[in-house]
Amino acid sequence: EAQVTQNPRYLITVTGKKLTVTCSQNMNHEYMSWYRQDPGLGLRQIYYSMNVEVTDKGDVPEGYKVSRKEKRNFPLILESPSPNQTSLYFCASSSGVEGNTEAFFGQGTRLTVV
Amino acid sequence: GENVEQHPSTLSVQEGDSAVIKCTYSDSASNYFPWYKQELGKRPQLIIDIRSNVGEKKDQRIAVTLNKTAKHFSLHITETQPEDSAVYFCAAMGRTGGFKTIFGAGTRLFVKA
């Protein structure tokens, strides 16, 4: 089954404790993205990647890191999480290298930073 | 930076009526405009999309129109049903300074039976 898988689904952590949210897709898609979703603000792109070893900042990259060592995986790293990073996070992938095709979203990760 | 404005933020219609959601984008080089539906507690899913070389696209009860000159695109849902109740997001694929995807803030649609 074609899918985008994120882990974990729920995470509660403390300020400053490094964490990684994993994302994997099995559709051989080039373009992958991370978004955060906050009430009233819609989906805001954090980082995107157009291919292996090619990543670029979205609209809200501060406090986040990503890597794309393999085509299927695109982990999101929070080196020193803060309470304002409490949010619902979605990973997504698209077939076009420029991302201009349907985005398939993961199940979401609800992160709480206390 | 580039942005997408979406209106209204909330829309309530009677079952069987039509619903229209409007978006305006700022990057004139944008060439791809998808619409996503997000039901409560679920992930966003594509319902329809349009490219910049097309003015209108229809899929059963759903249609999207694009006015490139005005940098404006709209979602039209006809004969609304209670299962259409959800949050709808428009998006524009930017091409200036990278290949970001910019989403609107969302419209919460209520369809009253």
Side-chain angles (χ1 to χ4, degrees):
Chain A
E1 182 191 350
Q3 58 186 359
V4 178
T5 304
Q6 293 177 230
N7 280 297
R9 294 288 312 278
Y10 302 91
L11 180 59
I12 301 174
T13 191
V14 296
T15 300
K17 185 177 182 182
K18 180 180 179 179
L19 66 92
T20 299
V21 184
T22 63
C23 174
S24 183
Q25 51 95 2
N26 62 0
M27 295 170 278
N28 201 37
H29 285 171
E30 283 83 12
Y31 189 95
M32 296 186 75
S33 285
W34 276 103
Y35 298 91
R36 60 178 290 171
Q37 184 174 18
D38 302 289
L41 297 177
L43 292 149
R44 292 181 292 166
Q45 193 175 43
I46 302 169
Y47 270 94
Y48 65 95
S49 169
M50 296 170 69
N51 216 324
V52 175
E53 303 291 1
V54 180
T55 62
D56 209 343
K57 296 177 182 178
D59 271 349
V60 288
E62 295 78 19
Y64 304 94
K65 283 175 57 177
V66 293
S67 69
R68 187 93 181 271
K69 295 185 171 62
E70 305 163 285
K71 197 171 187 179
R72 63 185 298 131
N73 295 324
F74 190 44
L76 178 70
I77 303 151
L78 285 72
E79 295 269 6
S80 183
S82 62
N84 64 11
Q85 293 179 298
T86 292
S87 187
L88 177 59
Y89 291 86
F90 285 101
C91 177
S93 72
S94 308
S95 60
V97 67
E98 295 179 0
N100 53 354
T101 57
E102 176 181 2
F104 292 85
F105 286 82
Q107 324 94 297
T109 296
R110 187 165 293 282
L111 172 65
T112 302
V113 184
V114 298
Chain B
E2 307 303 333
N3 75 301
V4 173
E5 292 189 4
Q6 182 172 346
H7 298 281
S9 56
T10 306
L11 179 60
S12 184
V13 300
Q14 204 67 36
E15 181 178 3
D17 288 350
S18 295
V20 180
I21 303 170
K22 300 181 179 182
C23 289
T24 303
Y25 61 98
S26 61
D27 184 356
S28 56
S30 293
N31 65 355
Y32 178 63
F33 307 91
W35 285 89
Y36 291 88
K37 175 183 180 182
Q38 186 178 30
E39 297 176 347
L40 192 62
K42 302 283 183 65
R43 71 192 82 185
Q45 290 190 293
L46 182 80
I47 54 170
I48 196 166
D49 56 11
I50 192 167
R51 298 189 182 279
S52 56
N53 58 347
V54 175
E56 184 173 357
K57 184 176 178 181
K58 190 173 181 180
D59 183 4
Q60 299 183 342
R61 296 186 297 108
I62 295 172
V64 56
T65 58
L66 172 65
N67 182 331
K68 283 182 59 180
T69 303
K71 291 188 284 186
H72 175 270
F73 59 115
S74 299
L75 177 71
H76 304 255
I77 306 174
T78 59
E79 300 172 24
T80 53
Q81 301 165 4
E83 51 265 39
D84 293 330
S85 296
V87 179
Y88 292 81
F89 293 99
C90 63
M93 172 57 78
R95 293 181 64 83
T96 300
F99 295 92
K100 296 180 187 178
T101 306
I102 313 293
F103 279 80
T107 296
R108 186 172 295 277
L109 174 65
F110 295 97
V111 180
K112 295 176 285 187

